[in-house]
Amino acid sequence: MNDLLNTMDKCGWATQRQCLTEADSLTLTRECQDACDSGLLRPAAVGRGPGLHIRQEIRGDHILWLDPADATVHQALYLAWLELLRLALNQRFFLGLFHFEGRFARYPAGAFYKPHLDRPTGTSQRIVTAILYLNPDWQPGDGGELKLWTTPGEKTGPFILIQPRLGTLVTFLAADYWHEVLPALKPRLSITGWFLHR
């Protein structure tokens, strides 16, 4: 976790491998897929309030919000790790983070999410994005990379491509870093969420 914090301090974004064991990550993969197979995931929308609409030309993922009160053992394990991260982020950066909200996200083959910021216009609650990828055996050429522009506030210029491989965690400042999900050639799973400010 210290390496992640040091990179966040330097860059505003960071990646970490294996914050959970491979077995724990695979269990979360199965839980996400089981929820999908049971019809619990719903198409994600864009906008907020009365302007909330499903726009598949912008994003094509399906989501299921996680309920900490109803979490499975492995979901609770990941949420407990995120709580340690929340405390560490607050201690290091004085961010005032008080809560994490997250959801399973599944991109069907061919789905994508156009460039965006993770803090909707007119809001201020989302401070840090945290994405845990749940894709075993993901290979170069499978698509689905997270394209993250590395200059705060810019969606041109330098960027990195992050493969959505099992157990990879990505964190970045939600209001500062433009990013997109490139089209995947097979289903792409994650737990995507945000640390919130009051």
Side-chain angles (χ1 to χ4, degrees):
M1 191 177 293
N2 282 337
D3 288 344
L4 182 147
L5 294 172
N6 290 338
T7 305
M8 284 285 291
D9 195 11
K10 179 181 178 182
C11 301
W13 58 270
T15 63
Q16 178 172 321
R17 291 280 292 157
Q18 303 301 333
C19 63
L20 301 177
T21 68
E22 182 174 351
D24 290 334
S25 295
L26 283 170
T27 299
L28 291 172
T29 301
R30 287 192 294 272
E31 290 179 358
C32 182
Q33 189 58 56
D34 288 347
C36 180
D37 294 342
S38 299
L40 298 177
L41 275 69
R42 295 287 183 261
V46 297
R48 60 191 183 97
L52 193 66
H53 299 289
I54 294 171
R55 300 275 305 276
Q56 291 198 343
E57 75 275 16
I58 296 176
R59 67 184 299 183
D61 54 325
H62 294 68
I63 61 171
L64 173 66
W65 288 98
L66 299 180
D67 180 358
D70 194 36
T72 66
V73 170
H74 288 82
Q75 291 167 24
L77 181 68
Y78 178 53
L79 293 173
W81 191 91
L82 288 172
E83 175 62 11
L84 294 177
L85 178 58
R86 181 188 71 84
L87 295 173
L89 288 166
N90 280 342
Q91 184 177 30
R92 181 75 172 262
F93 303 116
F94 306 102
L95 293 175
L97 308 175
F98 81 100
H99 178 65
F100 176 82
E101 64 175 15
R103 60 201 187 189
F104 282 131
R106 181 183 185 274
Y107 286 79
F112 53 85
Y113 195 161
K114 293 292 188 180
H116 62 284
L117 294 170
D118 273 356
R119 185 189 291 176
T121 302
T123 68
S124 61
Q125 292 173 309
R126 291 178 177 176
I127 305 299
V128 176
T129 298
I131 307 167
L132 178 67
Y133 292 115
L134 302 176
N135 305 294
D137 303 318
W138 203 268
Q139 300 296 322
D142 287 337
E145 298 93 347
L146 180 71
K147 182 177 182 179
L148 181 75
W149 282 269
T150 56
T151 302
E154 299 291 336
K155 57 176 174 178
T156 58
F159 62 85
I160 58 168
L161 294 177
I162 300 169
Q163 299 284 337
R165 293 191 180 99
L166 180 74
T168 297
L169 177 76
V170 182
T171 57
F172 54 89
L173 296 173
D176 294 347
Y177 289 90
W178 284 87
H179 56 287
E180 71 174 311
V181 177
L182 301 180
L185 300 183
K186 60 184 182 181
R188 174 191 188 274
L189 309 179
S190 67
I191 296 177
T192 298
W194 301 272
F195 291 104
L196 307 180
H197 190 277
R198 290 190 187 278

